Amino acid sequence: MDGLLTRRLPGGATLIVRPDPGLGFVAVNAWHGAGSLHDPAGRSGLAHVVEHVMSEGGSAHATTGYECTNYVATGPPTALPALLAEAGDRVRRGRRGVRADVLDGHRRIVLEEIRERDEPGRFGSGLRRGLRLLFGRDHPAGRPPVGDPAEVAAVTPDDVAAFVEAHYGAERLVVSVVGAADPDAAVELAGNHLAGLPSGRPAPPPVTGEPLGAREDVEEGQPTSMVRLTFALPPGSAAAEVVMAALASAPWSVLGSRPGLLGALGQHARCALGPAIGLVKLSAPAAADLAGLERDVAARLAAVARDGLPPDVLAAAKALRIREQLGVLGAARTLAEELCREHAWSGDAAGVTARLDAVRRVTNAEVAALAAGPMARPSVVAFHAAGEPSWIL
């Protein structure tokens, strides 16, 4: 990627600058190698709670994933000193600890987020159930990053302090600046505001473990039926990105058409420190034969494992994935995050464009191997509709 500058700052943090003078603003993303995979036993959701605590009083939009927590903020070019100062102050403030009453407020917000996501009647518990069946309740990837409500409610100020001390050090901090910024000035500012941060502890080893694969029948008051399949996919796999793009864009070609099927959707959550997650959701009328639908899906995936994808579907999936990635790279906020992600994954932020080439090179043999391997043992959650059939989704 032309014009990209990467500097390791005194203390261990990394700065990436992608200048774009014509943009008219700057986006600053702070990537901390601290996600839900690092939650200690009995404290799932701790990384998410810490994100809320660390965001207080700042201007950044924050998200917690399996392997990282991101804080991204935008502003005019003149705001760059303040945005970089905020990235450093966030760590320093977090290391000073949190009062019990302040933590209580953030816990309530997180618990409300979990309640809304798990709301009965909207298939909200599907992800939680699917991950638990796939990995087991005690595996770090066996629950969504938001955490378990009972464990979130038990988080203490000491838990927050220990997590920040362990995972929010400079060695696992990558900050990117995208937009109307002079690279030399950005390096000087970052040195002023990010130098001197504690180094923190080294990143723990990647999470491993064989997926279990299981199924569960559920009835939570939904007006329609749904089958959700959850797959554990290889970390950073371009073939997995292509397969999930195929399921997202051409489900009828990949899974086959079925009379009465209301819709199909595929999603893919990339990861490098643990298994990536693939989701397929098939919605159906209340009276649908869900067992037959599951058999159809298994048969179609078995065909993919044997023959790969039809050539037109493979080509369309690659084109979709490349188009999606170009959209990410073409927007300042998402590019800022992607540069940090790629540096954390490969040590070279310029690799964001190499991922496009990796997608182009995916072969049907790789697709077939993926379908015959990791995708052959999904977890399955079958939601059965309750009451009279309804066409209001």
Side-chain angles (χ1 to χ4, degrees):
M1 180 172 285
D2 294 339
L4 196 66
L5 178 146
T6 301
R7 288 287 185 275
R8 185 173 174 86
L9 302 173
T14 297
L15 175 71
I16 303 167
V17 185
R18 173 63 166 89
D20 187 348
L23 196 58
F25 68 94
V26 291
V28 175
N29 188 94
W31 163 293
H32 295 269
S36 64
L37 291 178
H38 306 120
D39 289 340
R43 288 294 186 269
S44 69
L46 177 56
H48 186 208
V49 173
V50 170
E51 173 223 303
H52 280 254
V53 171
M54 300 279 276
S55 298
E56 184 172 12
S59 62
H61 172 72
T63 55
T64 302
Y66 277 112
E67 59 191 343
C68 69
T69 305
N70 270 302
Y71 303 84
V72 60
T74 59
T78 54
L80 182 58
L83 296 179
L84 290 172
E86 184 178 326
D89 291 344
R90 182 184 302 118
V91 177
R92 296 183 185 94
R93 185 175 63 249
R95 286 178 170 268
R96 289 196 292 268
V98 59
R99 298 198 318 266
D101 60 322
V102 173
L103 174 60
D104 186 54
H106 289 294
R107 270 200 314 258
R108 287 198 299 269
I109 294 172
V110 171
L111 289 170
E112 178 61 19
E113 288 182 8
I114 296 173
R115 187 197 67 77
E116 290 177 354
R117 296 186 188 198
D118 288 3
E119 184 178 346
R122 297 177 59 188
F123 308 102
S125 69
L127 178 60
R128 186 179 302 282
R129 292 175 182 274
L131 293 174
R132 174 175 50 80
L133 291 172
L134 188 62
F135 296 108
R137 190 182 302 274
D138 296 329
H139 192 281
R143 60 261 177 168
V146 292
D148 176 85
E151 295 184 12
V152 167
V155 168
T156 68
D158 287 343
D159 293 329
V160 172
F163 190 91
V164 172
E165 180 180 356
H167 303 296
Y168 270 76
E171 293 287 342
R172 289 156 66 184
L173 171 61
V174 184
V175 176
S176 63
V177 176
V178 174
D182 175 79
D184 293 333
V187 170
E188 182 178 357
L189 288 168
N192 292 338
H193 295 297
L194 301 178
L197 295 177
S199 61
R201 301 178 192 170
V207 171
T208 59
E210 289 295 320
L212 305 175
R215 73 177 309 283
E216 184 174 38
D217 291 282
V218 183
E219 196 240 82
E220 290 184 341
Q222 291 82 5
T224 58
S225 299
M226 177 178 282
V227 175
R228 292 179 57 117
L229 296 91
T230 308
F231 305 95
L233 303 175
S237 166
E241 294 182 31
V242 171
V243 171
M244 295 313 301
L247 295 176
S249 63
W252 314 116
S253 299
V254 179
L255 300 177
S257 62
R258 182 179 175 84
L261 192 63
L262 298 178
L265 175 67
Q267 296 174 297
H268 180 227
R270 292 185 293 156
C271 193
L273 296 182
I277 306 299
L279 300 174
V280 173
K281 298 182 283 187
L282 303 167
S283 55
D289 175 14
L290 295 189
L293 181 57
E294 288 181 49
R295 288 193 296 271
D296 285 354
V297 172
R300 294 296 295 182
L301 290 177
V304 174
R306 184 182 62 251
D307 304 321
L309 293 168
D312 59 331
V313 175
L314 178 63
K318 289 184 179 183
L320 173 62
R321 182 66 196 105
I322 290 170
R323 187 165 65 248
E324 290 173 341
Q325 187 68 1
L326 287 173
V328 168
L329 301 182
R333 285 177 60 128
T334 49
L335 173 58
E337 179 179 346
E338 199 71 1
L339 289 171
C340 292
R341 182 194 311 277
E342 188 61 38
H343 180 86
W345 282 15
S346 69
D348 181 9
V352 292
T353 54
R355 298 194 64 79
L356 299 174
D357 294 331
V359 168
R360 293 187 182 98
R361 291 193 300 267
V362 169
T363 66
N364 241 340
E366 293 174 296
V367 168
L370 193 68
M375 297 188 73
R377 295 184 61 197
S379 69
V380 180
V381 180
F383 285 95
H384 298 268
E388 293 298 318
S390 170
W391 297 103
I392 302 175
L393 301 184

